[in-house]
Amino acid sequence: MRQITFRVDALPSEPAIQTFLKARELEARGADVVHLEIGEPDFETPSHIRDALKMAVDSGQTHYCDSQGVRELREAIADRIASVRGVHVDPDTIVATPGLRPVLFYGALATLQEGDEGIYCDPAFAAFPAVIRFAGATAVPVPLRGEKGFRLDVEDLRRAVTPRTRLITLNSPHNPTGAVLSEEDLRVIEAIACEHDLYVLSDETYEEIYYGERPRSVIEFPELRKRSIVMSGFSKTYCMTGWRLGYAVLPADLVEPFVRLTANSVSCTNTFVQYAAVAALRSSQACVQDMVMQFRQRRDVLVDRLNRMPGVSCHTPSGAFYAFANVSGVGLPDTELARILLEEAGVAALAGSAFGECGRGYLRFAYTTSMENILKGMDRMEHVVSELPTVRTG
Ligand SMILES: Cc1ncc(COP(=O)(O)O)c(C=O)c1O
């Protein structure tokens, strides 16, 4: 019997896609499903970005380009960071990638090897522990606790660091909880990373989707930035999930390895998509503000409805587009409740345990569908929950 390697075995099936496929199967058999499982904006890519793509194709930007990414895009990213964060970034320290996921892989592969440890927050986007293991290292969780609003307790982080630790992964605003790292948190993380000479991989893909003060970026903390891979992209901000474009801002020592990883794995990132992204960055950001305004309205309604259900409670997320609700009072495992909701009520949500041990007892709802659908989904869930004999009320 031929064996699949441990590296590939370390990679999980994507829970959102699994649930989506199951929902699709039910739909093919006639079911009506409310989709609250997939984390992608339901809005169209803004028309000026689509137009810029067509122009780029028509003007011949259809060939291989620099593996690091086209200069115009790297300059536009640097200019945007300067205007939003007030920080100068050299475009030569930026690498463009086909989506953010490659940055997670390249970051882990460039900084970790067997015997090392990489830290991730639990619950987490499943790719974080997966890429750490894929690189041959041990994935060490730091718990994010629901009773603390899923804020990272920096003392837990301090305790997780050992002489083998090489990398801390961060994600703010956070998938699945919507929590945001504060300036104080980032100062302590900076001190820990410097003291132990660690790399930090900071996934800031939801940086533009927030409902209070703008979340701080690792890039604003000079000592932290020197040792950080700061990643963001176009998927969520500009509704460009299918276009596949992300980027990393890198410490000087990681630029050349990243370019080699890109060149060897994908040659380069889609050329005409990069030119369209220049238009996304250099045009008005009103489309982003409009989208976030709609997410905020949906968030408020969704969280309110969840909090009114017996056995369910939900903190208000500060960013991203997920509500992570505590359903432990419903008296069923999260996986079983998710199954019942999908199969018996046509509501697709994700079991929190798919995001790690600390997600057990929670469900993740992506509010990336219309208000009408959210209300329909909540009506159905309320009905299911209130009929359950196991639910604890009061
Ligand atoms: C935290 C986080 N990082 C990365 C990604 C993947 O982004 P992309 O589609 O740009 O590869 C996602 C997608 O859901 C995410 O939630």
Side-chain angles (χ1 to χ4, degrees), residues 72-73 75-77 79-80 238 277-285:
E72 291 90 328
L73 175 63
E75 281 173 357
I77 293 168
D79 287 349
R80 179 113 191 97
Y238 300 105
V278 173
L281 291 170
R282 297 228 184 261
S283 309
S284 157
Q285 301 299 298

Side-chain angles (χ1 to χ4, degrees), residues 15-25 27 35 37-38 342 348 350:
I17 304 287
Q18 295 298 313
T19 304
F20 175 72
L21 293 176
K22 201 166 153 196
R24 270 288 152 88
E25 237 177 76
E27 284 171 328
H35 290 272
E37 76 279 38
I38 296 261
L342 177 58
L350 296 188

Side-chain angles (χ1 to χ4, degrees), residues 223-354:
E223 290 307 313
L224 185 52
R225 180 186 157 193
K226 281 185 198 157
R227 49 186 66 252
S228 295
I229 300 159
V230 183
M231 53 193 275
S232 190
F234 296 80
S235 298
K236 318 288 179 178
T237 306
Y238 300 105
C239 312
M240 289 170 64
T241 45
W243 297 48
R244 313 309 303 136
L245 185 61
Y247 62 87
V249 183
L250 296 161
D253 61 328
L254 285 182
V255 174
E256 193 273 337
F258 255 68
V259 175
R260 258 186 302 132
L261 279 159
T262 312
N264 279 276
S265 56
V266 292
S267 297
C268 64
T269 300
N270 196 318
T271 310
F272 48 82
V273 168
Q274 293 187 57
Y275 282 101
V278 173
L281 291 170
R282 297 228 184 261
S283 309
S284 157
Q285 301 299 298
C287 54
V288 183
Q289 286 150 15
D290 288 350
M291 174 181 75
V292 174
M293 201 176 69
Q294 297 201 51
F295 282 144
R296 176 198 292 274
Q297 289 167 355
R298 295 171 181 182
R299 174 198 71 158
D300 291 346
V301 167
L302 176 63
V303 169
D304 178 57
R305 288 293 305 266
L306 287 165
N307 277 320
R308 286 205 235 162
M309 286 182 210
V312 180
S313 65
C314 188
H315 72 286
T316 303
S318 306
F321 37 56
Y322 306 108
F324 203 56
N326 184 335
V327 293
S328 51
V330 168
L332 293 176
D334 55 347
T335 44
E336 180 59 5
L337 182 60
R339 187 194 65 73
I340 292 175
L341 283 173
L342 177 58
E343 292 179 5
E344 297 178 18
V347 178
L350 296 188
S353 47

Side-chain angles (χ1 to χ4, degrees), residues 160-189:
V161 175
T162 76
R164 291 172 181 269
T165 309
R166 294 281 169 272
L167 178 71
I168 299 174
T169 60
L170 303 173
N171 174 210
S172 173
H174 183 247
N175 174 11
T177 68
V180 166
L181 289 170
S182 69
E183 173 170 351
E184 189 47 34
D185 296 335
L186 287 163
R187 288 209 186 286
V188 179
I189 293 167

Side-chain angles (χ1 to χ4, degrees), residues 39 99-101 125 128 171 175 203 205-206 235-236 244 322:
L100 256 80
R101 280 182 185 268
F125 181 53
F128 286 101
N171 174 210
N175 174 11
D203 181 337
T205 188
Y206 298 102
S235 298
K236 318 288 179 178
R244 313 309 303 136
Y322 306 108

